[in-house]
Amino acid sequence: MSIEVEAVSKYYGEQKALNNVSFKVNKPEVVGFLGPNGAGKSTMMKILTTYINPSEGTAKVNGHDINDHTQLVQQSVGYLPEHNPLYLDMFVKEYLKFNANIYKVPKHRIHDVIELTGLTPEAHKKIGQLSKGYRQRIGLANALLHDPDVLILDEPTTGLDPNQLVDIRNLIKHIGKTKTIFLSTHIMQEVEAMCDRVIIINKGEIVADKKLSDLRDEKEQIVIVEFDYRVEDAFLLKLPKVKSVHNTHDFVYEITFKTSEDMRSHVFDFAHDNQLKILQLNQKNASLESLFRDLTSN
């Protein structure tokens, strides 16, 4: 078992950030820790990385107790915090070499993680010159330097543009084939794109723990489409098997269909027939959306 959390609670004064939280994560597994802002996600991750101590309960990482074997836990965990701390005036290789010396790892690991995270074209640049997407790659490279068995990633895709999102998602999925990855997010699409399992937390308590495969509703689906022009809902409601249409923002629409058939081809044909360009076309797990809304709306 890579991560074992047992009856963990955390108080900040009179505020209870975590309330009797328990769960387990296997290896290799990519688990999304999902919840609204302020639900307790970052607090749980700080406890697992030994940055803070729980008020009650305990946890183990790779069999090491976070209270009794702090250093062993730190050695087996790679951590990317929400606000990725970097020395912007350092070069990429220089920064990784600095951390490699701290970890006391062989120098070849610097080359290995640069190659793994796709940093080779930017390796000779100063960190301050790079985009947020590449800075996230540096954070991941640093977390991987000591070849940990467990990666804990706090909001790893926040603030990335669509191209950077795809790159980081693919990288996390690739790493997750051999390591345990526990990542927090409040964006359900990120869980669907990267994870095998979802744990939902709300107001400091675990309210769901399910495999993504068990959440797929074959009778309903949500298609997310972005056109190059605004479309009246009434026209989209004429598509076959439509349940509802929601214009989320700008020219982006979420169309819910009551069918197991993949309806993206119908949306594509609609765009073609009406001389519209499609800028994005994706599916979203209707069951995960409904579950999250039901469990976190109060």
Side-chain angles (χ1 to χ4, degrees), residues 30 32 188 191-199 210-217 285 288:
V30 181
M188 280 165 287
V191 174
E192 278 214 79
M194 294 183 285
C195 300
D196 308 307
R197 176 177 150 213
V198 59
I199 297 173
K210 295 181 178 292
K211 288 186 177 294
L212 263 291
S213 58
D214 295 338
L215 279 172
R216 306 207 182 276
D217 186 345
N285 191 316
L288 178 59

Side-chain angles (χ1 to χ4, degrees), residues 224-231 236 251-253 267-281:
I224 304 169
V225 59
E226 181 178 4
F227 299 112
D228 64 335
Y229 196 79
R230 184 172 296 281
V231 180
L236 292 169
F251 306 146
V252 180
Y253 298 82
V267 177
F268 181 87
D269 290 342
F270 169 86
H272 179 268
D273 294 343
N274 290 277
Q275 298 181 323
L276 296 166
K277 291 181 180 178
I278 289 180
L279 305 181
Q280 65 162 310
L281 184 61

Side-chain angles (χ1 to χ4, degrees), residues 133-148:
Y134 274 109
R135 293 184 190 185
Q136 287 296 84
R137 289 171 185 262
I138 295 169
L140 279 171
N142 185 53
L144 289 163
L145 262 176
H146 56 302
D147 198 22

